[in-house]
Amino acid sequence: MPERPPSVVLAAADRHLTAVQPMRRELFMARLERWWPDLVAGVQTVYPGEPGEQLVARLVGAAAAAFADRDPELAHLDLVRTLDPQWFQSPTMVGYAAYAERFAGDLRGVAAQVDYLRELGVTYLHLMPLLATREGDNDGGYAVTDYRTVRPDLGTMTDLRALARTLRAHGISLVLDLVLNHVAREHAWAVAARAGDERRRAYFHVFADRTEPDRFEETLPEVFPDFAPGSFTWDDELSGWVWTTFNSWQWDVNWANPEVFAEYAEVLLGLANEGVEVFRLDAIAFLWKRPGTMCQNEPEVHAITQALRALTRIACPAVVFKAEAIVAPGDLVHYLGTGAHYGKVSDLAYHNSVMVQIWSMLAAQDVRLAERALATLPATPSTTAWITYVRCHDDIGWAIDDGDAAAVGLSGFAHRAFLSDWYSGTFPGSTARGLVFQENPATGDRRISGTAASLVGLEHAREVDDAQAVAAGIDRLLLAHAVTFGWGGIPVVWSGDELAQPNDPAWADEPGHAGDNRWAHRPRLDRGSMARRHVDGTVECRVFEGLQRLARVRAALPQLHAATPVQVLATEDPGVLAVLRAHPLGPLLMLVNVTWSWRPFAGWRLRELGLVPAHDALADFQVAPADDDNLWLPPLTVRWLVGN
Ligand code: GLC
């Protein structure tokens, strides 16, 4: 394809730009020219030759149509964000994630809670899937039946647009899922495929017999070994095996088909015009299937993302992408753009390793594994940011690398088993209340469900009314969050954790939920707990105010900008994690004592960093080494040390 948009492409764009002002047309054309190479390279990698050329022309037409249709407020935001492309890396960013109905009933209810979110310091709101979904079990909305309709019980597209506007007016970016890997069995494409429509059948991976599925399954891991074993489902009406990575009613779409690409591109542009600012690219790792592989992280995935990203940069540059790729660190870094894709794919990605290591450190009261695993992570592009989180709507899988474990004298297998035992509360001394999710006898894996409060032992401590244990539980909860707030990137609080809500005891009662205990940690926000956040001394107040403080202090610390490198230092004490954020304005040293006792950090190391005396920005007081030249850290404490 030519280096610049050829005339047929310009004509495809111009058809949609007749009504826009000349200056806007010029802007569109300038963006098209700027991002054209990224778009073409992405598309041509996946769809070489003529299919790719046709697709590009169609995509540019769609981008022009979306551009022409863009609300003036959003067009203004596009402008502002192009002047400040680092906006999402700012330390003022704080995320919150919730199911709309569980947080506030429906979309209007969410809009009515905007003050609550602001009170917490939130600037980024991830609402879990809210588009039309199948009846009964729908994997929490991840089985979409129509990308252009809002779930009727939550509201309408007009409500979504109004909500996005309200949030925007309060400085909160709306984040939505783009479920790219699969649709519900009840989606119109799947319905048509079953009715014999060949064009729609080609939207899916369908096999007449088991030959291909068996070949693929030799190397495919299982996502839901417990309730959805295997990756293919026989369908009588199709008279074939359809690819279903997740549940049998979630049909993987076939991204090798350029029509599928065009469909999703149009969905994406449409939702961006409703006011979605961040797209969470759900299950992005799984898009490309290749025999003999795990069918995850294939290179085409990045080319597809690059092409979609280029399109948004042309039509709606206010938008950024977040990769939901829960994969090994070496694979993960590519989602943030490496090699030819540097700066061209997702802007954000989940930092699964930090999450896992937080839980591991708290259970083991030892940081050596975390230090090793986190210090050896590949560097990420400075234009991107992590999503850091203590937990999310999914279970926690113990992504502990055997090599990392061995390097610190542990057995990976035994440590993973320990963590499952600890967090399910069966290990002696543990008061955690997690539930085992998807036990896999073949691998020994036992993933864990549970709210943060239940996992840190706070649910148990409150039940037995043990004030000391309650205090320790609160300390652990805040420590875990302080690590995510100090890491760099966007820390995302999962709904209910800001009020220390325990597991939902009635999680199994709702239709379709009984088989999936992840619902235990997706509780409805409790109005009583919400009110108690303003009652001094209550657990809710202590936790909520603790998180507020993290958000407030973080916002004022330039060192916590996501572009500031994160360096995990080796410490003398196995109970203390030290993370350095070296910044031209002076360093910030985060010290984390994960143990239940006082622990030292050597004074000479502070002096080396110019941090004697230092100011603990979190607690807002001066700290200095004691007579023995150690800075002593109280149990379960985090310090954010900066110079005076
Ligand atoms: C993502 C979601 C998870 C869902 C899966 C399939 O991993 O986080 O909840 O089950 O995708 O859509």
Side-chain angles (χ1 to χ4, degrees), residues 194-215:
R194 282 201 302 282
D197 179 338
E198 287 301 324
R199 190 176 143 227
R200 298 304 189 200
R201 188 183 173 99
Y203 277 31
F204 300 97
H205 301 271
V206 186
F207 306 94
D209 58 38
R210 283 293 308 182
T211 317
E212 289 284 289
D214 283 346
R215 194 152 72 102

Side-chain angles (χ1 to χ4, degrees), residues 99 128 139 142-143 177 179 182 223-224 246-247 250 280 282-283 286 324 326 392-394 518 522:
Y99 288 90
M128 298 300 291
D139 190 20
Y142 285 104
D177 280 87
V179 185
H182 42 262
V223 179
F224 294 143
F246 294 88
N247 290 289
Q250 284 166 306
R280 176 186 181 276
D282 178 62
F286 297 84
E324 192 257 338
I326 308 303
C392 68
H393 69 289
D394 281 327
R518 289 177 297 174
R522 303 166 177 174

Side-chain angles (χ1 to χ4, degrees), residues 139 221-228 245-247 286 296 324 326 352 355-356 392-400 416-417 419-425 433-441 443-450 455 516-518 521-522:
D139 190 20
E222 301 227 37
V223 179
F224 294 143
D226 188 351
F227 52 55
T245 298
F246 294 88
N247 290 289
F286 297 84
Q296 286 185 48
E324 192 257 338
I326 308 303
N352 189 53
M355 188 271 291
V356 167
C392 68
H393 69 289
D394 281 327
D395 51 287
I396 302 174
W398 303 117
I400 305 278
R416 289 190 291 271
L419 292 172
S420 300
D421 289 343
W422 182 270
Y423 285 108
S424 57
R433 285 279 175 82
L435 306 168
V436 171
F437 179 75
Q438 302 292 318
E439 178 159 7
N440 188 340
T443 59
D445 282 347
R446 278 173 297 148
R447 284 137 67 179
I448 294 288
S449 293
L455 295 182
D516 185 345
N517 67 25
R518 289 177 297 174
H521 59 234
R522 303 166 177 174

